[in-house]
Amino acid sequence: MTKKILMVLTSHDELGNTGKKTGFWVEEFAAPYYAFIDAGVEVTLATPKGGQAPIDPTSTLTDFQTAATDRYDADATAQAKIATTVLLSSVNESDFDGVFYPGGHGPLWDLTDNTDSIALIENFLNAGKAVATVCHASAALLNVKQASGDFAVKGKAVTGFTNSEEEAVQLTEIVPFLVEDELIKRGGEYQKAEDWHAFAIQDGLIITGQNPASSALAAEKLLAHLSA
């Protein structure tokens, strides 16, 4: 049976009150996407608003290009999928084997408190299915709860974009909150590697990656979980 993974991307493209644009980080989509399809997985893309998922323009700069982003730039099929994402409210956990949330700053604004996303992740976890996030998309886990009413990240080893990484990109005062701080506030056992180093961790059904460099690693952990 072909495995099916849902990838949930942001629809948010405004970087706070800076007048600059944000969205999803290309590498954090591209590296997992190609890991999945190269493994024969069927991938569906969803966003809160459906349609075009906004790309963070910073993530298209030369410094941030990788083999995966180069492949995306030449891949009309993948670009068409990004342009025609399905509406998040229309997807159902029962149709998928796992879910992956790529980062970029966008998710801080539209996936943290999104009731469709929260319910979706809760349904995945309650069904015994893995949920993977990377970088800022770990914010999508913040308000997810267990059946007991406790936060899903409570007592779990988790990671996400670090306070020091946010400071390095000079957005500490722009973002609505800091991912590291909020995971800790909800009882998560926050872990991290050095800034910009690849680091991903799995604790039960929750897989998290620290930063863009961790996106492929988080994807590999999800694939390994699905094939176990």
Side-chain angles (χ1 to χ4, degrees):
M1 288 288 288
T2 301
K3 296 289 186 183
K4 296 181 179 180
I5 290 176
L6 176 67
M7 295 184 80
V8 179
L9 297 132
T10 182
S11 289
H12 186 88
D13 69 352
E14 298 291 333
L15 188 61
N17 57 8
T18 63
K20 295 178 180 176
K21 292 297 185 181
T22 188
F24 73 88
W25 198 260
V26 178
E27 160 70 13
E28 295 176 32
F29 162 73
Y33 174 76
Y34 290 118
F36 298 150
I37 64 168
D38 289 350
V41 172
E42 187 179 306
V43 177
T44 298
L45 309 184
T47 55
K49 293 181 180 177
Q52 178 73 53
I55 292 172
D56 186 320
T58 305
S59 73
T60 66
L61 299 177
T62 304
D63 285 355
F64 304 116
Q65 300 319 292
T66 64
T69 64
D70 290 344
R71 186 171 167 186
Y72 173 76
D73 289 340
D75 186 346
T77 302
Q79 292 170 27
K81 284 188 176 183
I82 286 291
T84 57
T85 66
V86 302
L87 198 60
L88 182 58
S89 60
S90 73
V91 297
N92 195 308
E93 157 274 318
S94 61
D95 294 327
F96 301 96
D97 299 293
V99 63
F100 191 100
Y101 281 69
H105 282 87
L108 298 182
W109 280 277
D110 73 344
L111 288 173
T112 306
D113 297 314
N114 185 295
T115 53
D116 293 320
S117 177
I118 291 167
L120 183 73
I121 294 175
E122 289 175 348
N123 288 341
F124 270 96
L125 295 176
N126 290 336
K129 297 177 182 178
V131 175
T133 66
V134 66
C135 201
H136 290 91
S138 291
L141 298 169
L142 289 174
N143 297 315
V144 174
K145 294 191 173 176
Q146 306 172 42
S148 64
D150 287 331
F151 287 112
V153 298
K154 183 180 178 182
K156 296 286 187 184
V158 288
T159 192
F161 207 56
T162 68
N163 290 355
S164 50
E165 286 168 330
E166 201 69 82
E167 195 172 319
V169 298
Q170 301 182 315
L171 290 172
T172 303
E173 302 303 319
I174 304 301
V175 293
F177 57 84
L178 298 172
V179 175
E180 177 179 339
D181 287 353
E182 294 303 316
L183 285 168
I184 292 168
K185 281 181 190 174
R186 284 158 178 76
E189 296 188 5
Y190 184 84
Q191 301 185 19
K192 60 185 173 182
E194 290 181 52
D195 286 1
W196 315 117
H197 284 238
F199 178 70
I201 191 162
Q202 178 171 3
D203 192 337
L205 297 172
I206 295 177
I207 297 165
T208 48
Q210 179 176 318
N211 50 31
S214 312
S215 52
L217 197 53
E220 286 164 17
K221 287 183 179 295
L222 180 55
L223 284 172
H225 182 85
L226 292 183
S227 62

